[in-house]
Amino acid sequence: MPETLPSLLENPDVFFTSILNALAHGKTLTSAEAEAAFGIIMDGSLPPERVAAFLMGMRVRGEAFEEVLGAVTALRRRMIPVSQIPAGTIDVCGTGGDNYGTLNVSTAVAFVLAALGVPVAKHGNRAVSSRSGASDVLLALGVPLLSDPVDLSRQLARHKLVFLAAPHHHPAMRHAAPIRKTLGIRTLFNLLGPMVNPAGVKHQLVGVFAPEWLHMVVDVLHGLGSDRVWAVCGLPDGETQGIDELTLAGPTRVVALENGATHSFVVQADMAGLPYAPVAAIQGGDAHHNAQVLEALLHGAHGAYRDTVLLNAACALHVAGQRSILTGLQIDPQAFKECVADVSRVLDNGAALAVLNGLRASSSGTHAQDITG
C-alpha cells in the first residue's frame, strides 16, 4: 500500500480495497491498518459482501498478532466503558465456539468468586457454542442485565458481582452480527469478546476454544496492560476439538501471564483432588434447564458440574491474586486442593446462593434493558 494510512483513510472505500488486495496477496496487516479496517466495519459504512470477504481473507490466511491487536483496539475505542471498578476485579469468560453445548461454567464461577469476596465484572453475551449463553441463563435466573453505569457500579459494590451484557457496551458490533451469522463459521470476532471487557479488568481467566490461540490471547492482553491472565483450553480425551474451560475430561493447556512473563503448563483435575468425568456429564440444555441446574449447584448439589466449577473457580482465585496454587512455574497440588476446599465451602454454606438472591432482590428500580435486538 504505497500511500500513507491517513491519506487512504480520507476515502474509506479506497482504503478498504487496498486492505482486501493486501489480504489477497497473503500480506499481514499492521496493527494500525487492522485497527482502521475494523473501525470502518464497526462504523457500519461497508456493504456486507466486503466485510465477509475481509473476514474470510483473514481466516483463510490465518490471523496474525498485529491484526488481533488492531481489532481489539478498534472495538475498545468504540465500547461504552464501566468506571469505578475496584482494583483486583476479575473477569471469567470464554470465547465460545467449542460446540460442546455444556452447562454454564464461568457464570457459576462468578457467583462463587463473589461469595469469596472477589470482585467480578463478568462480560457475557447470548449463546455462542451452547444453547444458553451467560445472558440467557441470567435472565432465566431472574438476574437483571443492567445498562446504567450508576446501577452497574452500585451492583458491584453491594454484591461483588456485576454482569456486563455485551450489546449494552458494544453497540458497534451490531454491524458485524448479521454477517457473522450468514457466514456460519468461526471468524476473528469469536476471539474478541474476552479481550474487550468494558470494565477494563486487569485479571482474567479466559477460556479459549482451541489451543493454538492461547498464546495469542495472552500476548494481546499483555500488550494492552493486563496484570495476570490465564488462557485455558481443555482437551477432552479422544476429542479433536478443545473446550473453552478447564475440564475434568482430560488435560487442560494453560498459557499464563504471571509477573510480567508468559509461560505454559498443563492442569489435570487430579492435581486438585477432583475425579475424571466426561464432557457429556455436564451437557447443557436451554436457558431454563441450565438455570435450574445452576441454582441447584448453588444449593449444594454435587456431581460433575460442581467439580468442574470447583476446578475453574480455584484457578480463578489464583488469577485474581487471592490465592497461590503455583510453586515456581508448577502447580502445587496441596495448595490447589486447599483452594478447592475454600470454593466448596461457599457452595455448601449458602454464600454463593446469597449472591444470586441478592442480585434478584436488587432488580427493582434499576435500568435493565432488553438485549434481544
Side-chain angles (χ1 to χ4, degrees), residues 235-252:
L235 299 171
D237 292 336
E239 300 287 345
T240 58
Q241 174 67 49
I243 188 169
D244 68 338
E245 60 205 22
L246 291 113
T247 184
L248 304 174
T252 297

Side-chain angles (χ1 to χ4, degrees), residues 107 111 134-146 155 161-163 355-363 366 368:
T107 303
F111 286 109
S135 294
D136 303 300
V137 78
L138 290 167
L139 290 170
L141 285 166
V143 175
L145 297 175
L146 309 181
Q155 187 183 80
L161 177 57
V162 66
F163 291 101
V355 175
L356 170 60
N357 288 332
L359 291 175
R360 285 167 164 165
S362 69
S363 62
T366 57

Side-chain angles (χ1 to χ4, degrees), residues 25 36 72 108 124 133 135 150 199 230 283 286 366:
H25 287 83
V72 172
S135 294
V150 174
W230 278 27
Q283 185 70 38
D286 61 15
T366 57

Side-chain angles (χ1 to χ4, degrees), residues 195-330:
M195 295 189 277
V196 292
N197 182 292
V201 297
K202 302 298 183 183
H203 297 251
Q204 289 186 252
L205 176 64
V206 182
V208 181
F209 60 84
E212 58 265 28
W213 291 103
L214 294 173
H215 278 283
M216 177 80 77
V217 169
V218 171
D219 289 345
V220 170
L221 288 173
H222 188 192
L224 291 171
S226 291
D227 293 330
R228 180 176 280 184
V229 177
W230 278 27
V232 305
C233 180
L235 299 171
D237 292 336
E239 300 287 345
T240 58
Q241 174 67 49
I243 188 169
D244 68 338
E245 60 205 22
L246 291 113
T247 184
L248 304 174
T252 297
R253 287 181 57 180
V254 181
V255 174
L257 171 64
E258 301 260 348
N259 301 315
T262 301
H263 56 276
S264 305
F265 51 89
V266 172
V267 172
Q268 298 271 9
D270 59 4
M271 295 175 176
L274 296 169
Y276 170 90
V279 176
I282 58 167
Q283 185 70 38
D286 61 15
H288 180 70
H289 170 80
N290 285 15
Q292 286 186 318
V293 179
L294 196 157
E295 187 157 7
L297 168 76
L298 300 185
H299 276 278
H302 284 243
Y305 183 37
R306 174 188 171 104
D307 290 344
T308 302
V309 170
L310 294 178
L311 180 66
N312 282 267
C315 292
L317 273 178
H318 173 92
V319 176
Q322 300 296 315
R323 304 286 192 279
S324 178
I325 61 173
L326 294 179
T327 298
L329 302 181
Q330 301 294 324

Side-chain angles (χ1 to χ4, degrees), residues 53-77:
F54 172 76
L55 295 174
M56 282 299 297
M58 296 189 75
R59 168 70 189 271
V60 171
R61 191 215 57 208
E63 298 90 344
F65 168 80
E66 294 84 359
E67 294 164 342
V68 178
L69 179 63
V72 172
T73 303
L75 198 50
R76 285 189 177 194
R77 289 188 189 280

Side-chain angles (χ1 to χ4, degrees), residues 12-178:
D13 286 335
V14 172
F15 168 73
F16 209 79
T17 297
S18 71
I19 290 294
L20 291 176
N21 188 57
L23 292 177
H25 287 83
K27 295 180 180 179
T28 298
L29 307 182
T30 67
S31 59
E33 289 166 346
E35 180 184 347
F38 275 93
I40 292 170
I41 293 170
M42 294 297 94
D43 293 340
S45 56
L46 289 174
E49 297 82 3
R50 299 188 58 138
V51 178
F54 172 76
L55 295 174
M56 282 299 297
M58 296 189 75
R59 168 70 189 271
V60 171
R61 191 215 57 208
E63 298 90 344
F65 168 80
E66 294 84 359
E67 294 164 342
V68 178
L69 179 63
V72 172
T73 303
L75 198 50
R76 285 189 177 194
R77 289 188 189 280
R78 288 160 178 79
M79 72 184 179
I80 300 171
V82 179
S83 58
Q84 300 181 29
I85 298 298
T89 300
I90 188 173
D91 186 15
V92 285
C93 181
T95 60
D98 62 21
N99 298 315
Y100 278 103
T102 59
L103 294 163
N104 299 84
V105 174
S106 61
T107 303
V109 169
F111 286 109
V112 169
L113 294 177
L116 288 162
V118 179
V120 182
K122 176 164 172 46
H123 194 208
N125 208 341
R126 293 283 189 176
V128 176
S129 62
S130 67
R131 293 170 60 192
S132 174
S135 294
D136 303 300
V137 78
L138 290 167
L139 290 170
L141 285 166
V143 175
L145 297 175
L146 309 181
S147 60
D148 183 85
V150 174
D151 289 336
L152 291 166
S153 296
R154 184 183 297 122
Q155 187 183 80
L156 182 59
R158 288 179 177 175
H159 304 289
K160 296 292 185 181
L161 177 57
V162 66
F163 291 101
L164 307 176
H168 294 165
H169 302 278
H170 297 287
M173 285 288 287
R174 71 185 185 277
H175 298 298

